[in-house]
Amino acid sequence: MTEDVKKQETADASSDKKLKTAVLTIGDQQIELPILYGTEGNPVIDIRALGKHGYFTYDPGFLATASCQSKITFIDGAKGVLLHRGYPIYELAMQTSYMEVCYLLLHKELPNREQLSEFTNQVRRHTMVHEQLSKMFLAYRRDSHPMAIMCGIAGALSAFYHTNININDPKDRESVAIRLIAKMPTLAAMSYKYSIGQPFMYPKNNLSYTGNFLYMMFANPCEEYVVNPVIEKALDRIFILHADHEQNASTSCVRFAGTTGANPFACIAAGIAALWGPAHGGANEACLRMLENIGSIDRIPEFIARAKDPKDPFRLMGFGHRVYKNYDPRAVVMKETCHEVLEELHIQNHPILDVAMELERIALSDPYFIERKLYPNVDFYSGIILNAIGIPTSMFTVIFALARTIGWITNWIEMQEDPSSKIGRPRQLYVGVPKREVPPIYRR
Ligand code: SDX
């Protein structure tokens, strides 16, 4: 018997063992619901038929609810595994570039040299933004948080690309993706330059994607700017680590907005808004500020106690995750990169890194964190690297948004291509006042 036949027999046998339905018994009703299996991860119970039996399910925060089928990214939270189109994040981060990962997410396979060169050139041709867009920045206070600017400015792209795009045309959907990948670094750098009162720098397309972003962020018209290859490589790796992450809050917002047929640039603005929260992408900025606030190793116990106190809203930023109940694999790479970058930049005894490492050591040996399976997540070390390579703290979440744009738009495209996709419209459990009559005003 050949290996393949043996494998198929095993697969058939295990698929025979797989339950095909779940039976829900409600009083004298027996409701049969199909069980669906993916290629990896938990099977799901298809509850779509439940409504006609007079019941809804209740799952605020979607702790146990799948919102869609997807082929883009898979996370095994128990094992700390993250795959993009089947490739482990560690290998992608160490062996590829952000442009290669963008191509992979968008086109489902890693590019060969020729495909990568063509894709990179496609992106390069769209790095500039409309001159009118740069005038929009003047509407903001100079001290606006860069994420406040990004929410508005990214959404404003929909004013320039609306009647001229057909979201039902795959070619138009791809051009939306290319424009977003290309323009987000330009808009991100502009939001920084505006906040420090320096002139915007136009993209230089002879630089790499990440080199171009560093140029637009830190160059000025008065002097030559040379991209530091150590910083370029570290930032490119950080972009890879933030590229996509299943149906997280901001990606779900982009998909949700997309189910109404809204302009894709406006859908991305919805994602940026959701990402800004400190429970989500805003945690990288909040984490560095927390580490700076702790300041020294001897103050760590005070903050650990606060994090454990149910009456204190303080939480350890950069710790915990809805899905990972193991070390976030991105944090593993981030921690390794942190040491590499500090060494290559000859930054000795970085006080914040010492606090971070001691905080991690103490938390991971504390029963409170062990019982709740709280580990460092992607945001715990990223701020230290960004800080070391000169990215201002207020720009940390902008960097996250820039890098996650490929994940958002790939999910938006997958949703548009899904024939079973319907407008997102959750139900509710109504606990308000039952129906009553309106009393005339003299009786109120
Ligand atoms: C990102 O979803 C994604 O994939 C997101 C992301 C992506 O790439 O898109 O990975 C990016 O958002 C990473 C997470 C960044 N956020 C933070 O670092 C903020 C701090 N972390 C927490 O706010 C929290 O861990 C969440 C929001 C990340 C997850 O919250 P959950 O899943 O709703 O868990 P929970 O709040 O129900 O916590 C379970 C328990 C609670 O204690 P008990 O009620 O059981 O006593 O763990 C405690 C929480 O109080 N807890 C923490 C904690 N995180 C959870 N206690 C102290 N410090 C923390 N950081």
Side-chain angles (χ1 to χ4, degrees), residues 274-309:
L275 186 77
W276 192 3
H280 190 13
N284 54 16
E285 175 180 347
C287 181
L288 192 85
R289 294 194 196 285
M290 173 192 77
L291 294 171
E292 286 168 342
N293 190 16
I294 294 174
S296 62
I297 287 176
D298 59 323
R299 292 194 65 205
I300 289 175
E302 170 198 333
F303 285 82
I304 294 268
R306 284 191 55 200
K308 290 159 59 176
D309 177 356

PDB file of all heavy atoms in Angstrom, residues 274-309:
ATOM      1  N   ALA A 274     -10.257  51.425  15.676  1.00  0.00           N
ATOM      2  CA  ALA A 274     -10.329  50.316  16.654  1.00  0.00           C
ATOM      3  C   ALA A 274      -8.941  49.964  17.178  1.00  0.00           C
ATOM      4  O   ALA A 274      -8.748  49.715  18.371  1.00  0.00           O
ATOM      5  CB  ALA A 274     -10.967  49.098  16.010  1.00  0.00           C
ATOM      6  N   LEU A 275      -7.951  50.001  16.317  1.00  0.00           N
ATOM      7  CA  LEU A 275      -6.591  49.616  16.727  1.00  0.00           C
ATOM      8  C   LEU A 275      -6.050  50.559  17.798  1.00  0.00           C
ATOM      9  O   LEU A 275      -5.249  50.156  18.639  1.00  0.00           O
ATOM     10  CB  LEU A 275      -5.665  49.633  15.517  1.00  0.00           C
ATOM     11  CG  LEU A 275      -4.245  49.114  15.762  1.00  0.00           C
ATOM     12  CD1 LEU A 275      -4.221  47.579  15.831  1.00  0.00           C
ATOM     13  CD2 LEU A 275      -3.277  49.611  14.709  1.00  0.00           C
ATOM     14  N   TRP A 276      -6.487  51.809  17.785  1.00  0.00           N
ATOM     15  CA  TRP A 276      -5.924  52.856  18.651  1.00  0.00           C
ATOM     16  C   TRP A 276      -6.099  52.524  20.140  1.00  0.00           C
ATOM     17  O   TRP A 276      -5.305  52.913  20.987  1.00  0.00           O
ATOM     18  CB  TRP A 276      -6.589  54.192  18.308  1.00  0.00           C
ATOM     19  CG  TRP A 276      -5.943  55.408  18.897  1.00  0.00           C
ATOM     20  CD1 TRP A 276      -4.802  55.468  19.654  1.00  0.00           C
ATOM     21  CD2 TRP A 276      -6.407  56.756  18.780  1.00  0.00           C
ATOM     22  NE1 TRP A 276      -4.535  56.767  20.005  1.00  0.00           N
ATOM     23  CE2 TRP A 276      -5.506  57.575  19.489  1.00  0.00           C
ATOM     24  CE3 TRP A 276      -7.491  57.337  18.146  1.00  0.00           C
ATOM     25  CZ2 TRP A 276      -5.667  58.959  19.572  1.00  0.00           C
ATOM     26  CZ3 TRP A 276      -7.651  58.722  18.223  1.00  0.00           C
ATOM     27  CH2 TRP A 276      -6.746  59.519  18.941  1.00  0.00           C
ATOM     28  N   GLY A 277      -7.139  51.778  20.491  1.00  0.00           N
ATOM     29  CA  GLY A 277      -7.425  51.501  21.902  1.00  0.00           C
ATOM     30  C   GLY A 277      -6.270  50.812  22.621  1.00  0.00           C
ATOM     31  O   GLY A 277      -5.600  49.955  22.041  1.00  0.00           O
ATOM     32  N   PRO A 278      -6.029  51.179  23.906  1.00  0.00           N
ATOM     33  CA  PRO A 278      -4.909  50.589  24.650  1.00  0.00           C
ATOM     34  C   PRO A 278      -5.084  49.085  24.922  1.00  0.00           C
ATOM     35  O   PRO A 278      -4.123  48.395  25.226  1.00  0.00           O
ATOM     36  CB  PRO A 278      -4.878  51.366  25.964  1.00  0.00           C
ATOM     37  CG  PRO A 278      -6.208  51.999  26.082  1.00  0.00           C
ATOM     38  CD  PRO A 278      -6.722  52.208  24.684  1.00  0.00           C
ATOM     39  N   ALA A 279      -6.309  48.563  24.766  1.00  0.00           N
ATOM     40  CA  ALA A 279      -6.482  47.114  24.947  1.00  0.00           C
ATOM     41  C   ALA A 279      -6.025  46.377  23.691  1.00  0.00           C
ATOM     42  O   ALA A 279      -5.839  45.159  23.706  1.00  0.00           O
ATOM     43  CB  ALA A 279      -7.949  46.789  25.227  1.00  0.00           C
ATOM     44  N   HIS A 280      -5.830  47.110  22.603  1.00  0.00           N
ATOM     45  CA  HIS A 280      -5.474  46.521  21.303  1.00  0.00           C
ATOM     46  C   HIS A 280      -4.143  47.112  20.830  1.00  0.00           C
ATOM     47  O   HIS A 280      -3.167  47.069  21.564  1.00  0.00           O
ATOM     48  CB  HIS A 280      -6.650  46.776  20.338  1.00  0.00           C
ATOM     49  CG  HIS A 280      -6.586  46.057  19.026  1.00  0.00           C
ATOM     50  ND1 HIS A 280      -5.729  45.037  18.730  1.00  0.00           N
ATOM     51  CD2 HIS A 280      -7.329  46.242  17.887  1.00  0.00           C
ATOM     52  CE1 HIS A 280      -5.935  44.619  17.486  1.00  0.00           C
ATOM     53  NE2 HIS A 280      -6.894  45.333  16.955  1.00  0.00           N
ATOM     54  N   GLY A 281      -4.123  47.731  19.699  1.00  0.00           N
ATOM     55  CA  GLY A 281      -2.849  48.210  19.168  1.00  0.00           C
ATOM     56  C   GLY A 281      -2.235  49.340  19.970  1.00  0.00           C
ATOM     57  O   GLY A 281      -1.022  49.559  19.935  1.00  0.00           O
ATOM     58  N   GLY A 282      -3.061  50.066  20.725  1.00  0.00           N
ATOM     59  CA  GLY A 282      -2.544  51.168  21.537  1.00  0.00           C
ATOM     60  C   GLY A 282      -1.705  50.673  22.711  1.00  0.00           C
ATOM     61  O   GLY A 282      -1.082  51.450  23.428  1.00  0.00           O
ATOM     62  N   ALA A 283      -1.667  49.349  22.894  1.00  0.00           N
ATOM     63  CA  ALA A 283      -0.930  48.782  24.040  1.00  0.00           C
ATOM     64  C   ALA A 283       0.569  48.997  23.908  1.00  0.00           C
ATOM     65  O   ALA A 283       1.274  49.088  24.911  1.00  0.00           O
ATOM     66  CB  ALA A 283      -1.231  47.294  24.172  1.00  0.00           C
ATOM     67  N   ASN A 284       1.076  49.109  22.668  1.00  0.00           N
ATOM     68  CA  ASN A 284       2.540  49.282  22.534  1.00  0.00           C
ATOM     69  C   ASN A 284       2.972  50.621  23.117  1.00  0.00           C
ATOM     70  O   ASN A 284       3.938  50.714  23.866  1.00  0.00           O
ATOM     71  CB  ASN A 284       3.010  49.077  21.101  1.00  0.00           C
ATOM     72  CG  ASN A 284       2.284  49.944  20.079  1.00  0.00           C
ATOM     73  OD1 ASN A 284       1.620  50.921  20.415  1.00  0.00           O
ATOM     74  ND2 ASN A 284       2.410  49.575  18.822  1.00  0.00           N
ATOM     75  N   GLU A 285       2.201  51.653  22.806  1.00  0.00           N
ATOM     76  CA  GLU A 285       2.512  52.985  23.381  1.00  0.00           C
ATOM     77  C   GLU A 285       2.279  52.941  24.890  1.00  0.00           C
ATOM     78  O   GLU A 285       3.130  53.364  25.684  1.00  0.00           O
ATOM     79  CB  GLU A 285       1.605  54.037  22.730  1.00  0.00           C
ATOM     80  CG  GLU A 285       1.758  55.415  23.340  1.00  0.00           C
ATOM     81  CD  GLU A 285       0.847  56.471  22.701  1.00  0.00           C
ATOM     82  OE1 GLU A 285       0.259  56.225  21.631  1.00  0.00           O
ATOM     83  OE2 GLU A 285       0.727  57.561  23.302  1.00  0.00           O
ATOM     84  N   ALA A 286       1.147  52.345  25.308  1.00  0.00           N
ATOM     85  CA  ALA A 286       0.817  52.287  26.748  1.00  0.00           C
ATOM     86  C   ALA A 286       1.858  51.472  27.507  1.00  0.00           C
ATOM     87  O   ALA A 286       2.208  51.785  28.647  1.00  0.00           O
ATOM     88  CB  ALA A 286      -0.573  51.677  26.929  1.00  0.00           C
ATOM     89  N   CYS A 287       2.405  50.446  26.855  1.00  0.00           N
ATOM     90  CA  CYS A 287       3.378  49.574  27.530  1.00  0.00           C
ATOM     91  C   CYS A 287       4.677  50.331  27.797  1.00  0.00           C
ATOM     92  O   CYS A 287       5.210  50.284  28.916  1.00  0.00           O
ATOM     93  CB  CYS A 287       3.650  48.346  26.680  1.00  0.00           C
ATOM     94  SG  CYS A 287       4.813  47.207  27.429  1.00  0.00           S
ATOM     95  N   LEU A 288       5.160  51.059  26.799  1.00  0.00           N
ATOM     96  CA  LEU A 288       6.419  51.793  27.018  1.00  0.00           C
ATOM     97  C   LEU A 288       6.224  52.865  28.081  1.00  0.00           C
ATOM     98  O   LEU A 288       7.065  53.045  28.960  1.00  0.00           O
ATOM     99  CB  LEU A 288       6.943  52.423  25.726  1.00  0.00           C
ATOM    100  CG  LEU A 288       8.389  52.916  25.942  1.00  0.00           C
ATOM    101  CD1 LEU A 288       9.363  51.747  25.719  1.00  0.00           C
ATOM    102  CD2 LEU A 288       8.759  54.096  25.134  1.00  0.00           C
ATOM    103  N   ARG A 289       5.072  53.525  28.051  1.00  0.00           N
ATOM    104  CA  ARG A 289       4.816  54.548  29.073  1.00  0.00           C
ATOM    105  C   ARG A 289       4.725  53.887  30.454  1.00  0.00           C
ATOM    106  O   ARG A 289       5.218  54.406  31.450  1.00  0.00           O
ATOM    107  CB  ARG A 289       3.541  55.328  28.752  1.00  0.00           C
ATOM    108  CG  ARG A 289       3.636  56.174  27.474  1.00  0.00           C
ATOM    109  CD  ARG A 289       2.509  57.194  27.348  1.00  0.00           C
ATOM    110  NE  ARG A 289       2.382  57.737  25.992  1.00  0.00           N
ATOM    111  CZ  ARG A 289       3.221  58.632  25.453  1.00  0.00           C
ATOM    112  NH1 ARG A 289       4.260  59.056  26.142  1.00  0.00           N
ATOM    113  NH2 ARG A 289       3.036  59.068  24.209  1.00  0.00           N
ATOM    114  N   MET A 290       4.175  52.685  30.511  1.00  0.00           N
ATOM    115  CA  MET A 290       4.086  51.953  31.794  1.00  0.00           C
ATOM    116  C   MET A 290       5.493  51.603  32.290  1.00  0.00           C
ATOM    117  O   MET A 290       5.820  51.825  33.459  1.00  0.00           O
ATOM    118  CB  MET A 290       3.263  50.672  31.625  1.00  0.00           C
ATOM    119  CG  MET A 290       3.242  49.755  32.838  1.00  0.00           C
ATOM    120  SD  MET A 290       2.553  48.129  32.475  1.00  0.00           S
ATOM    121  CE  MET A 290       3.938  47.358  31.608  1.00  0.00           C
ATOM    122  N   LEU A 291       6.337  51.096  31.377  1.00  0.00           N
ATOM    123  CA  LEU A 291       7.712  50.723  31.776  1.00  0.00           C
ATOM    124  C   LEU A 291       8.476  51.953  32.239  1.00  0.00           C
ATOM    125  O   LEU A 291       9.202  51.910  33.238  1.00  0.00           O
ATOM    126  CB  LEU A 291       8.429  50.043  30.607  1.00  0.00           C
ATOM    127  CG  LEU A 291       7.864  48.672  30.180  1.00  0.00           C
ATOM    128  CD1 LEU A 291       8.509  48.211  28.867  1.00  0.00           C
ATOM    129  CD2 LEU A 291       8.067  47.632  31.269  1.00  0.00           C
ATOM    130  N   GLU A 292       8.280  53.085  31.542  1.00  0.00           N
ATOM    131  CA  GLU A 292       8.950  54.339  31.957  1.00  0.00           C
ATOM    132  C   GLU A 292       8.418  54.780  33.320  1.00  0.00           C
ATOM    133  O   GLU A 292       9.136  55.226  34.182  1.00  0.00           O
ATOM    134  CB  GLU A 292       8.727  55.433  30.913  1.00  0.00           C
ATOM    135  CG  GLU A 292       9.552  55.220  29.637  1.00  0.00           C
ATOM    136  CD  GLU A 292       9.120  56.131  28.480  1.00  0.00           C
ATOM    137  OE1 GLU A 292       7.978  56.673  28.530  1.00  0.00           O
ATOM    138  OE2 GLU A 292       9.915  56.291  27.531  1.00  0.00           O
ATOM    139  N   ASN A 293       7.112  54.587  33.533  1.00  0.00           N
ATOM    140  CA  ASN A 293       6.484  54.979  34.795  1.00  0.00           C
ATOM    141  C   ASN A 293       7.002  54.110  35.950  1.00  0.00           C
ATOM    142  O   ASN A 293       7.279  54.596  37.033  1.00  0.00           O
ATOM    143  CB  ASN A 293       4.954  54.828  34.639  1.00  0.00           C
ATOM    144  CG  ASN A 293       4.193  55.425  35.802  1.00  0.00           C
ATOM    145  OD1 ASN A 293       4.752  56.205  36.580  1.00  0.00           O
ATOM    146  ND2 ASN A 293       2.951  55.028  35.932  1.00  0.00           N
ATOM    147  N   ILE A 294       7.185  52.814  35.681  1.00  0.00           N
ATOM    148  CA  ILE A 294       7.753  51.928  36.711  1.00  0.00           C
ATOM    149  C   ILE A 294       9.175  52.402  37.003  1.00  0.00           C
ATOM    150  O   ILE A 294       9.568  52.571  38.148  1.00  0.00           O
ATOM    151  CB  ILE A 294       7.749  50.463  36.248  1.00  0.00           C
ATOM    152  CG1 ILE A 294       6.296  49.957  36.103  1.00  0.00           C
ATOM    153  CG2 ILE A 294       8.530  49.571  37.215  1.00  0.00           C
ATOM    154  CD1 ILE A 294       6.177  48.571  35.509  1.00  0.00           C
ATOM    155  N   GLY A 295       9.920  52.677  35.948  1.00  0.00           N
ATOM    156  CA  GLY A 295      11.212  53.360  36.084  1.00  0.00           C
ATOM    157  C   GLY A 295      12.358  52.518  36.588  1.00  0.00           C
ATOM    158  O   GLY A 295      13.460  52.570  36.062  1.00  0.00           O
ATOM    159  N   SER A 296      12.125  51.739  37.653  1.00  0.00           N
ATOM    160  CA  SER A 296      13.256  50.936  38.159  1.00  0.00           C
ATOM    161  C   SER A 296      12.745  49.601  38.687  1.00  0.00           C
ATOM    162  O   SER A 296      11.565  49.474  39.056  1.00  0.00           O
ATOM    163  CB  SER A 296      13.965  51.689  39.294  1.00  0.00           C
ATOM    164  OG  SER A 296      13.033  51.867  40.355  1.00  0.00           O
ATOM    165  N   ILE A 297      13.640  48.647  38.738  1.00  0.00           N
ATOM    166  CA  ILE A 297      13.279  47.272  39.099  1.00  0.00           C
ATOM    167  C   ILE A 297      12.635  47.213  40.478  1.00  0.00           C
ATOM    168  O   ILE A 297      11.674  46.472  40.704  1.00  0.00           O
ATOM    169  CB  ILE A 297      14.536  46.374  39.007  1.00  0.00           C
ATOM    170  CG1 ILE A 297      14.887  46.133  37.520  1.00  0.00           C
ATOM    171  CG2 ILE A 297      14.360  45.059  39.748  1.00  0.00           C
ATOM    172  CD1 ILE A 297      16.141  45.350  37.267  1.00  0.00           C
ATOM    173  N   ASP A 298      13.093  48.076  41.395  1.00  0.00           N
ATOM    174  CA  ASP A 298      12.558  47.964  42.775  1.00  0.00           C
ATOM    175  C   ASP A 298      11.085  48.385  42.852  1.00  0.00           C
ATOM    176  O   ASP A 298      10.404  48.109  43.822  1.00  0.00           O
ATOM    177  CB  ASP A 298      13.421  48.775  43.745  1.00  0.00           C
ATOM    178  CG  ASP A 298      13.449  50.255  43.341  1.00  0.00           C
ATOM    179  OD1 ASP A 298      13.459  50.527  42.116  1.00  0.00           O
ATOM    180  OD2 ASP A 298      13.402  51.105  44.218  1.00  0.00           O
ATOM    181  N   ARG A 299      10.573  49.058  41.802  1.00  0.00           N
ATOM    182  CA  ARG A 299       9.160  49.469  41.857  1.00  0.00           C
ATOM    183  C   ARG A 299       8.245  48.424  41.210  1.00  0.00           C
ATOM    184  O   ARG A 299       7.020  48.584  41.192  1.00  0.00           O
ATOM    185  CB  ARG A 299       8.979  50.820  41.170  1.00  0.00           C
ATOM    186  CG  ARG A 299       9.623  51.995  41.899  1.00  0.00           C
ATOM    187  CD  ARG A 299       9.124  53.311  41.366  1.00  0.00           C
ATOM    188  NE  ARG A 299       7.686  53.479  41.643  1.00  0.00           N
ATOM    189  CZ  ARG A 299       6.897  54.273  40.891  1.00  0.00           C
ATOM    190  NH1 ARG A 299       7.387  54.868  39.821  1.00  0.00           N
ATOM    191  NH2 ARG A 299       5.612  54.424  41.197  1.00  0.00           N
ATOM    192  N   ILE A 300       8.811  47.358  40.677  1.00  0.00           N
ATOM    193  CA  ILE A 300       7.986  46.368  39.959  1.00  0.00           C
ATOM    194  C   ILE A 300       6.935  45.737  40.871  1.00  0.00           C
ATOM    195  O   ILE A 300       5.749  45.681  40.492  1.00  0.00           O
ATOM    196  CB  ILE A 300       8.889  45.298  39.298  1.00  0.00           C
ATOM    197  CG1 ILE A 300       9.654  45.914  38.113  1.00  0.00           C
ATOM    198  CG2 ILE A 300       8.064  44.091  38.831  1.00  0.00           C
ATOM    199  CD1 ILE A 300      10.667  44.982  37.462  1.00  0.00           C
ATOM    200  N   PRO A 301       7.286  45.315  42.107  1.00  0.00           N
ATOM    201  CA  PRO A 301       6.267  44.644  42.958  1.00  0.00           C
ATOM    202  C   PRO A 301       5.013  45.491  43.143  1.00  0.00           C
ATOM    203  O   PRO A 301       3.893  44.992  43.121  1.00  0.00           O
ATOM    204  CB  PRO A 301       7.012  44.423  44.279  1.00  0.00           C
ATOM    205  CG  PRO A 301       8.454  44.366  43.892  1.00  0.00           C
ATOM    206  CD  PRO A 301       8.618  45.328  42.745  1.00  0.00           C
ATOM    207  N   GLU A 302       5.192  46.816  43.247  1.00  0.00           N
ATOM    208  CA  GLU A 302       4.038  47.723  43.443  1.00  0.00           C
ATOM    209  C   GLU A 302       3.088  47.620  42.244  1.00  0.00           C
ATOM    210  O   GLU A 302       1.876  47.544  42.385  1.00  0.00           O
ATOM    211  CB  GLU A 302       4.619  49.141  43.571  1.00  0.00           C
ATOM    212  CG  GLU A 302       3.658  50.287  43.557  1.00  0.00           C
ATOM    213  CD  GLU A 302       4.408  51.612  43.238  1.00  0.00           C
ATOM    214  OE1 GLU A 302       5.623  51.720  43.538  1.00  0.00           O
ATOM    215  OE2 GLU A 302       3.769  52.501  42.651  1.00  0.00           O
ATOM    216  N   PHE A 303       3.645  47.556  41.045  1.00  0.00           N
ATOM    217  CA  PHE A 303       2.804  47.525  39.848  1.00  0.00           C
ATOM    218  C   PHE A 303       2.192  46.139  39.626  1.00  0.00           C
ATOM    219  O   PHE A 303       1.072  46.014  39.148  1.00  0.00           O
ATOM    220  CB  PHE A 303       3.609  47.994  38.627  1.00  0.00           C
ATOM    221  CG  PHE A 303       3.818  49.485  38.594  1.00  0.00           C
ATOM    222  CD1 PHE A 303       4.832  50.073  39.335  1.00  0.00           C
ATOM    223  CD2 PHE A 303       2.945  50.296  37.874  1.00  0.00           C
ATOM    224  CE1 PHE A 303       5.004  51.459  39.339  1.00  0.00           C
ATOM    225  CE2 PHE A 303       3.104  51.687  37.869  1.00  0.00           C
ATOM    226  CZ  PHE A 303       4.133  52.267  38.604  1.00  0.00           C
ATOM    227  N   ILE A 304       2.939  45.106  39.985  1.00  0.00           N
ATOM    228  CA  ILE A 304       2.385  43.734  39.901  1.00  0.00           C
ATOM    229  C   ILE A 304       1.180  43.624  40.835  1.00  0.00           C
ATOM    230  O   ILE A 304       0.126  43.112  40.460  1.00  0.00           O
ATOM    231  CB  ILE A 304       3.460  42.695  40.296  1.00  0.00           C
ATOM    232  CG1 ILE A 304       4.601  42.680  39.268  1.00  0.00           C
ATOM    233  CG2 ILE A 304       2.838  41.313  40.473  1.00  0.00           C
ATOM    234  CD1 ILE A 304       4.484  41.705  38.138  1.00  0.00           C
ATOM    235  N   ALA A 305       1.316  44.207  42.025  1.00  0.00           N
ATOM    236  CA  ALA A 305       0.199  44.154  42.996  1.00  0.00           C
ATOM    237  C   ALA A 305      -1.008  44.878  42.427  1.00  0.00           C
ATOM    238  O   ALA A 305      -2.146  44.407  42.501  1.00  0.00           O
ATOM    239  CB  ALA A 305       0.646  44.776  44.317  1.00  0.00           C
ATOM    240  N   ARG A 306      -0.786  46.014  41.820  1.00  0.00           N
ATOM    241  CA  ARG A 306      -1.894  46.783  41.231  1.00  0.00           C
ATOM    242  C   ARG A 306      -2.561  45.987  40.101  1.00  0.00           C
ATOM    243  O   ARG A 306      -3.770  45.936  39.967  1.00  0.00           O
ATOM    244  CB  ARG A 306      -1.374  48.120  40.700  1.00  0.00           C
ATOM    245  CG  ARG A 306      -1.082  49.156  41.775  1.00  0.00           C
ATOM    246  CD  ARG A 306      -0.825  50.524  41.165  1.00  0.00           C
ATOM    247  NE  ARG A 306      -1.957  50.918  40.317  1.00  0.00           N
ATOM    248  CZ  ARG A 306      -1.859  51.868  39.368  1.00  0.00           C
ATOM    249  NH1 ARG A 306      -0.698  52.479  39.152  1.00  0.00           N
ATOM    250  NH2 ARG A 306      -2.914  52.195  38.650  1.00  0.00           N
ATOM    251  N   ALA A 307      -1.717  45.325  39.289  1.00  0.00           N
ATOM    252  CA  ALA A 307      -2.269  44.556  38.152  1.00  0.00           C
ATOM    253  C   ALA A 307      -3.147  43.416  38.649  1.00  0.00           C
ATOM    254  O   ALA A 307      -4.105  43.024  37.994  1.00  0.00           O
ATOM    255  CB  ALA A 307      -1.137  44.018  37.296  1.00  0.00           C
ATOM    256  N   LYS A 308      -2.840  42.901  39.845  1.00  0.00           N
ATOM    257  CA  LYS A 308      -3.593  41.756  40.381  1.00  0.00           C
ATOM    258  C   LYS A 308      -4.819  42.191  41.178  1.00  0.00           C
ATOM    259  O   LYS A 308      -5.699  41.382  41.450  1.00  0.00           O
ATOM    260  CB  LYS A 308      -2.663  40.912  41.284  1.00  0.00           C
ATOM    261  CG  LYS A 308      -1.595  40.177  40.502  1.00  0.00           C
ATOM    262  CD  LYS A 308      -0.405  39.773  41.341  1.00  0.00           C
ATOM    263  CE  LYS A 308      -0.733  38.883  42.494  1.00  0.00           C
ATOM    264  NZ  LYS A 308       0.514  38.457  43.219  1.00  0.00           N
ATOM    265  N   ASP A 309      -4.876  43.479  41.513  1.00  0.00           N
ATOM    266  CA  ASP A 309      -5.971  43.964  42.371  1.00  0.00           C
ATOM    267  C   ASP A 309      -7.242  44.157  41.539  1.00  0.00           C
ATOM    268  O   ASP A 309      -7.287  45.021  40.657  1.00  0.00           O
ATOM    269  CB  ASP A 309      -5.544  45.302  43.006  1.00  0.00           C
ATOM    270  CG  ASP A 309      -6.665  45.894  43.862  1.00  0.00           C
ATOM    271  OD1 ASP A 309      -7.776  45.297  43.886  1.00  0.00           O
ATOM    272  OD2 ASP A 309      -6.443  46.951  44.473  1.00  0.00           O
TER     273      ASP A 309
END
